[in-house]
Amino acid sequence: MPVDRAEFTAALGQYAAGVCLLTVRDGIDDVGTTVSSVMSVSADPPLVAVGLSAAGYPAEVLEEVGTCGLTVLGAQHAIVAARFSSAGRPSARHLLESVPWSRAPGSEAIVLDDGLTALDCRLERLVEAGDHVLALLAVDEVLPGGPAGGPLLRHRGRYVDATGHPPGRP
């Protein structure tokens, strides 16, 4: 019997996951997307995997360019995460007008200055996985983050802080 998609999504929503911002700089613009399907794959060599919508523009641009930045978002970044998860979003630079950022040295992708940490990555390969692709990324450099703070999490379809509350609320 096939699994009901809504039931499956609701079940996985029970799993709290960290939230990252994946950005790619191509020759024309900067593209970014919020991702919560990120996992450590290997320490030697350093590899991470990121789940992306197979039909999405970020996966297409990442495959074409071959490098990206991955910023681990703190609880203070809930608005940034929401901006990058909405459909029809403009250039990454426009979505970050009031947020301090810089460029990762290798990929030249945008990384947030006050993120918990950031990774400068190179695409090893894309692996088809249903309606998504897994981007296997080689980490070329770990970039320091801003002041220590709590992580931004995605839980039950909402962004929350480490206490399970919406960021900025008691």
Side-chain angles (χ1 to χ4, degrees):
M1 216 159 132
V3 173
D4 178 75
R5 182 180 176 153
E7 191 176 281
F8 176 71
T9 301
L12 291 182
Q14 300 303 312
Y15 178 72
V19 182
C20 295
L21 175 63
L22 182 136
T23 56
V24 179
R25 181 177 190 181
D26 71 6
I28 301 166
D29 207 353
D30 292 281
V31 174
T33 189
T34 303
V35 291
S36 57
S37 297
V38 177
M39 70 177 221
S40 171
V41 174
S42 170
D44 187 18
L47 298 169
V48 295
V50 176
L52 299 170
S53 173
Y57 188 59
E60 180 184 326
V61 174
L62 176 59
E63 184 174 31
E64 183 179 305
V65 173
T67 59
C68 65
L70 190 65
T71 302
V72 178
L73 300 180
Q76 75 274 20
H77 295 117
I79 292 172
V80 170
R83 286 178 188 164
F84 279 91
S85 64
S86 63
R89 56 195 170 269
S91 163
R93 289 178 306 222
H94 295 296
L95 294 174
L96 294 171
E97 286 179 355
S98 62
V99 179
W101 57 270
S102 54
R103 298 240 179 235
S107 66
E108 295 186 354
I110 290 173
V111 291
L112 303 189
D113 294 344
D114 61 348
L116 299 182
T117 191
L119 306 175
D120 197 6
C121 301
R122 189 173 21 86
L123 179 65
E124 284 288 314
R125 68 178 167 266
L126 290 178
V127 179
E128 291 183 26
D131 60 358
H132 278 64
V133 292
L134 291 177
L136 185 60
L137 304 172
V139 178
D140 289 331
E141 191 167 344
V142 175
L143 307 170
L152 181 64
L153 303 173
R154 181 126 174 109
H155 184 238
R156 296 183 179 156
R158 300 180 343 164
Y159 296 117
V160 297
D161 63 19
T163 68
H165 294 94
R169 295 186 189 164

